[in-house]
Amino acid sequence: MKANGHERFMHTEIIIINMENNMEFRKATEQDIHPIMEIIGQAQAYFKKNHIDQWQHNYPNIHTIMDDILKGYSYVLLKDENIVATTAISFDGEKTYKHIYSGKWLSNGDYAVIHRLAVDHLHKGLGISTEVIRNVEKMCLNKGVNSIKIDTHEQNLSMQKLLQKNDFKYCGIIYLEDGSKRIAFEKIL
């Protein structure tokens, strides 16, 4: 716990509070499933409307998100006590990151993976995704992890812009288990 009260770490649940913005970043619970799925549904609709073949074909679905919650990977960002963003954070590695093509990772040590980052459509363009990334960085540094890796669809230009804005570097191409191509980024902290 920091003396100024802006951050509070509990033994099983990480809670980071930003008093200035009235925001809280915490592990998701089963009670959060419906607002999380609402945000996921908004993102899926956005991708479909913009002809981006990401998060289509019933993925991610309620089972994916519930699995994230049960494994302790699912996090939410609240503003004024309302969920405005969701993501999955893992420190367990990512098997599809073992092989990278047309490039290389910046590091080979321990890393966090950000998956399924989505923001409520009413809060897009307000720096919410950057706030999520900042919180993941704090989690990493608290664990002694100095790398964050993430992948996205090559047509997801808004995610690519977000990653570049937050000092992630393009590293190459990875392929998901279903063979889908994704572009990979890494940030060294």
Side-chain angles (χ1 to χ4, degrees), residues 77-94:
L77 181 71
L78 291 83
K79 181 169 177 54
D80 301 319
E81 300 183 20
N82 295 307
I83 295 174
V84 296
T86 179
T87 191
I89 311 299
S90 171
F91 290 90
D92 298 337
E94 170 59 55

Side-chain angles (χ1 to χ4, degrees), residues 11-156:
H11 64 283
T12 58
E13 179 178 2
I14 294 178
I15 299 176
I16 302 173
I17 298 176
N18 181 331
M19 301 297 266
E20 297 160 9
N21 298 10
N22 203 21
M23 291 188 188
E24 176 183 345
F25 186 72
R26 64 165 172 79
K27 279 194 176 189
T29 67
E30 292 180 43
Q31 289 75 28
D32 298 325
I33 193 75
H34 294 296
I36 291 172
M37 289 311 300
E38 177 70 25
I39 292 170
I40 295 292
Q42 293 168 6
Q44 289 169 323
Y46 169 83
F47 290 143
K48 185 173 185 175
K49 177 182 173 190
N50 289 284
H51 309 288
I52 300 170
D53 190 23
Q54 185 174 4
W55 289 16
Q56 301 301 301
H57 318 292
N58 197 34
Y59 174 87
N61 57 42
I62 196 165
H63 303 291
T64 308
I65 302 305
M66 188 57 76
D67 190 51
D68 285 345
I69 291 170
L70 295 175
K71 287 180 178 175
Y73 296 164
S74 185
Y75 286 81
V76 290
L77 181 71
L78 291 83
K79 181 169 177 54
D80 301 319
E81 300 183 20
N82 295 307
I83 295 174
V84 296
T86 179
T87 191
I89 311 299
S90 171
F91 290 90
D92 298 337
E94 170 59 55
K95 60 184 167 186
T96 61
Y97 288 4
K98 288 181 182 171
H99 302 288
I100 189 164
Y101 304 90
S102 302
K104 66 177 187 171
W105 293 113
L106 302 176
S107 69
N108 295 315
D110 292 340
Y111 59 92
V113 178
I114 299 176
H115 283 306
R116 295 180 278 290
L117 173 58
V119 174
D120 181 274
H121 67 97
L122 297 175
H123 293 85
K124 285 191 170 199
L126 302 176
I128 299 295
S129 294
T130 293
E131 185 69 22
V132 169
I133 290 170
R134 284 188 190 129
N135 282 289
V136 175
E137 290 171 358
K138 290 176 189 177
M139 289 171 57
C140 287
L141 294 174
N142 188 52
K143 291 178 172 283
V145 174
N146 296 308
S147 166
I148 303 172
K149 296 179 180 181
I150 188 170
D151 65 86
T152 191
H153 194 283
E154 60 189 340
Q155 293 177 328
N156 189 342

